[in-house]
Amino acid sequence: MKTILHKIAKYWPLIWLILSISAVLALTVLGAYTGVNSVKHVLSTQAPSGVLFSSNSLKASTGNSTISSTQRLSSQEYDITVCNYEQIKAAEPNSEDITYNLTASLQVRIDDSYKNLSDLDETKKEEYVKLLENRSYKIKMQQDDGSGDSDGSEYNLVDEENYQHIFTGYKLTGNQLSTDVFRITFDASELEDTEPDFYIFIKAEPTSPSGIESVQNLYCAAQSASEASAWSGSLLESDCETVDYDFYNYILSGNGKGTIEVMWDSTMFEVNPFFLEMEQTNVETISGGTHAGWSKITLEVDSTKENRYDIQLYKTSNDITSYTGAYNASQYIDCIFTNGVE
């Protein structure tokens, strides 16, 4: 035993050096290992890039080019945005550049379906072409995201080949909030009647990166006086009587202009603070009436600019274990719409 200790003492400086180097290497490997896992964790919590392509009014096409409903405008002009973020999460832009094409085409309604004017047989097309004399249905890139891909020209679809125009190779810049704005303008004659003659179909289709869904919509213009302004709200989770969710989505949708008050029981819910910031509205407390003590926000709505709002409500009650049955979520949120003065 003494011999062993004597030898250890003799070579102690060398042994200490070897142990020190081993400890440093172990820490380096551990640091590299945990560093890689940290990166993996960050990446795994990011939203997939496929959802970070949106618009104020264009809707996901899910591979279907058929449009069964339209957005009716009560004015000649309307601005359509194309963005690299989810509308309800503007603080989280896509990390990659998105290149896309945007197509605008004239359509008509025949037997409850919508068809490109260029696809009609010659006899039917001739009827509509006569209506187009001296008319204009235009599209223009109103604002780009600063990437410099806009030529600033305005295109009249009446004069374009096949009654359509395609903007190609436009880009939304990654890692920053990026928005392009396209303005469509209907002929003034459309506002003289209650039923539209022509529709403008818009489709934004990403070309890179792969896997991003197209968004599209069909627009028309006609007298808004024929339609009563009406907005309403409802929970997206229609089965909340029996199913408990982590949070809830309240959808506001409607037509026309006015003011809508969204009210909720603050002992049960709180509203996504990002929505409040994005809409620049403040939470107030209701002092009297049926919903006394509840919280509310007030939104000025105009369907020619935005015809849908998605509001996230997060559960706050620690006393109620399940927001179902007698405590189902639909009982604790409401809204009141007041028609605007045209």
Side-chain angles (χ1 to χ4, degrees):
M1 184 67 178
K2 289 182 179 181
T3 303
I4 295 173
L5 292 175
H6 177 72
K7 289 182 178 181
I8 291 177
K10 182 178 179 181
Y11 295 103
W12 179 248
L14 180 59
I15 294 172
W16 176 254
L17 179 62
I18 293 172
L19 290 173
S20 298
I21 292 173
S22 299
V24 170
L25 288 174
L27 288 173
T28 301
V29 172
L30 177 61
Y33 175 80
T34 56
V36 168
N37 277 271
S38 176
V39 170
K40 286 182 177 178
H41 175 71
V42 171
L43 291 177
S44 68
T45 57
Q46 288 184 350
S49 61
V51 302
L52 302 182
F53 184 69
S54 68
S55 168
N56 63 335
S57 61
L58 299 176
K59 309 178 192 317
S61 61
T62 60
N64 183 5
S65 61
T66 302
I67 296 289
S68 59
S69 62
T70 65
Q71 182 167 335
R72 180 179 290 221
L73 312 176
S74 58
S75 61
Q76 280 183 261
E77 295 183 342
Y78 183 70
D79 287 347
I80 299 166
T81 65
V82 182
C83 315
N84 68 342
Y85 52 83
E86 288 186 85
Q87 292 296 299
I88 60 174
K89 293 183 180 179
E92 300 176 12
N94 199 310
S95 61
E96 300 182 77
D97 289 349
I98 299 176
T99 304
Y100 68 96
N101 300 332
L102 184 137
T103 301
S105 57
L106 276 182
Q107 292 197 359
V108 295
R109 182 176 181 178
I110 299 176
D111 298 329
D112 293 327
S113 65
Y114 302 95
K115 301 181 182 297
N116 287 323
L117 186 57
S118 59
D119 293 338
L120 301 181
D121 62 59
E122 290 304 316
T123 302
K124 198 68 176 175
K125 184 190 298 183
E126 188 176 347
E127 297 177 21
Y128 289 102
V129 169
K130 288 180 180 179
L131 286 176
L132 287 173
E133 291 181 4
N134 302 317
R135 288 195 187 188
S136 63
Y137 296 81
K138 300 177 181 179
I139 185 166
K140 173 184 179 181
M141 187 176 203
Q142 188 70 9
Q143 170 190 318
D144 69 24
D145 70 339
S147 60
D149 49 11
S150 172
D151 60 12
S153 300
E154 188 172 52
Y155 300 93
N156 184 1
L157 299 178
V158 175
D159 301 326
E160 295 290 298
E161 184 177 358
N162 293 324
Y163 305 98
Q164 73 172 16
H165 182 79
I166 303 176
F167 297 87
T168 59
Y170 279 51
K171 184 178 75 173
L172 299 171
T173 306
N175 279 325
Q176 66 183 51
L177 299 179
S178 184
T179 300
D180 288 342
V181 181
F182 295 85
R183 174 168 293 178
I184 56 175
T185 305
F186 284 86
D187 193 88
S189 61
E190 293 283 5
L191 297 175
E192 296 173 2
D193 299 314
T194 57
E195 290 302 320
D197 292 321
F198 296 93
Y199 299 76
I200 297 179
F201 174 68
I202 303 292
K203 182 175 184 178
E205 187 171 14
T207 56
S208 70
S210 61
I212 302 181
E213 210 170 58
S214 301
V215 289
Q216 61 189 34
N217 207 357
L218 192 61
Y219 302 89
C220 65
Q223 286 185 11
S224 59
S226 64
E227 296 180 287
S229 294
W231 282 75
S232 61
S234 62
L235 283 170
L236 179 64
E237 295 76 20
S238 58
D239 56 354
C240 57
E241 173 73 28
T242 56
V243 180
D244 192 29
Y245 292 91
D246 291 335
F247 66 92
Y248 295 81
N249 295 278
Y250 193 67
I251 310 300
L252 297 174
S253 60
N255 177 76
K257 298 180 181 180
T259 301
I260 190 164
E261 293 182 335
V262 183
M263 303 167 287
W264 66 93
D265 187 335
S266 55
T267 66
M268 300 286 287
F269 291 111
E270 64 179 1
V271 168
N272 183 352
F274 180 73
F275 178 85
L276 304 178
E277 180 181 345
M278 186 170 62
E279 297 300 328
Q280 297 183 343
T281 185
N282 297 316
V283 177
E284 302 175 68
T285 300
I286 301 173
S287 58
T290 306
H291 301 309
W294 283 24
S295 296
K296 75 170 183 177
I297 55 174
T298 303
L299 301 174
E300 298 296 327
V301 292
D302 181 352
S303 61
T304 65
K305 298 177 181 178
E306 186 76 41
N307 67 348
R308 175 186 167 113
Y309 295 85
D310 295 5
I311 306 174
Q312 289 72 48
L313 294 154
Y314 302 109
K315 298 191 291 189
T316 58
S317 176
N318 295 320
D319 300 324
I320 300 171
T321 57
S322 176
Y323 282 36
T324 56
Y327 299 103
N328 90 74
S330 62
Q331 299 182 79
Y332 300 99
I333 181 168
D334 200 358
C335 70
I336 296 176
F337 172 69
T338 304
N339 200 351
V341 178
E342 295 289 343

